[in-house]
Amino acid sequence: MLKCGFRSSAMRARWRNRGNRYFNVVGRINAEQSIESATAELKEIAIRLESEHPQSNKGWSAHLTPLRDSLMGGTRTALFVLLGAVGCVLLIACTNVANLLLARAASRRKEMAIRLALGASRGRLMRQLLTESVVLGLAGGAVGLLFAAWGLDLLIGILPDKEAFRLPVEIRIDRAVMFLHARHFRC
């Protein structure tokens, strides 16, 4: 019954003590079952355990919480506000970059007129401007990924208690999402 983590007799005794209340159980309910019916079933099991073991289960019950609520707790609203703030900052940054590109294009009017006079086609000029913008965008994306990696390492490094913030998923830059977006925005 007890595997490698419970080799000592003290650990086995602690495991078998019915008075321990330090376990949280994660489970999945059936797709056809509602949370209310699963909660009612858990309450029935708790009542049955209380009648079978009154010395250790008297006054104890079980309660069902969706995993998302358990992980997020009261931070869900704050995370959505933070997401909105990050979206606004991104929108402002994109607007600034677009304005800089427009200002640069306006300052290069004479250069474009000379190129047209020398025989360059409008398509060739458009390809040149598009190539410059793509190179600028790729360089900005690479610098952004570098800052994201450094920032992620910094944030993970300054967590006050790494055990308290342990989540069931790894905090990382997801390559699949990154490549999906890169593939989505290619020309």
Side-chain angles (χ1 to χ4, degrees), residues 4 14 17 19-20 22 28-29 33 45 48 52 60 62 70 81 86-87 89-90 98 133 142 144 161 164 169 176:
C4 61
R14 190 172 170 192
N17 181 1
N20 286 332
Y22 59 90
R28 177 178 269 172
I29 63 173
Q33 190 174 20
I45 292 171
R48 189 173 63 232
E52 290 175 6
W60 287 94
S70 177
V81 169
V86 168
V89 169
L90 180 65
S133 296
D161 183 12
V169 293

Side-chain angles (χ1 to χ4, degrees), residues 82-173:
L82 183 63
L83 178 68
V86 168
C88 287
V89 169
L90 180 65
L91 183 65
I92 290 169
C94 289
T95 305
N96 285 339
V97 169
N99 283 333
L100 287 173
L101 286 174
L102 284 173
R104 193 175 96 193
S107 69
R108 292 176 69 183
R109 255 183 149 170
K110 288 181 183 177
E111 175 193 346
M112 293 301 147
I114 292 171
R115 286 179 186 261
L116 280 172
L118 291 174
S121 67
R122 289 189 184 273
R124 173 72 181 126
L125 292 178
M126 293 299 285
R127 281 194 304 273
Q128 178 187 349
L129 292 174
L130 185 63
T131 302
E132 290 173 1
S133 296
V134 167
V135 168
L136 181 65
L138 289 175
V143 169
L145 280 174
L146 186 65
F147 278 139
W150 285 343
L152 189 61
D153 290 342
L154 177 73
L155 287 175
I156 290 173
I158 64 172
L159 282 177
D161 183 12
K162 290 178 181 50
E163 294 300 318
F165 290 99
R166 184 156 292 190
L167 296 174
V169 293
E170 181 184 356
I171 301 173
R172 62 184 165 81
I173 297 174

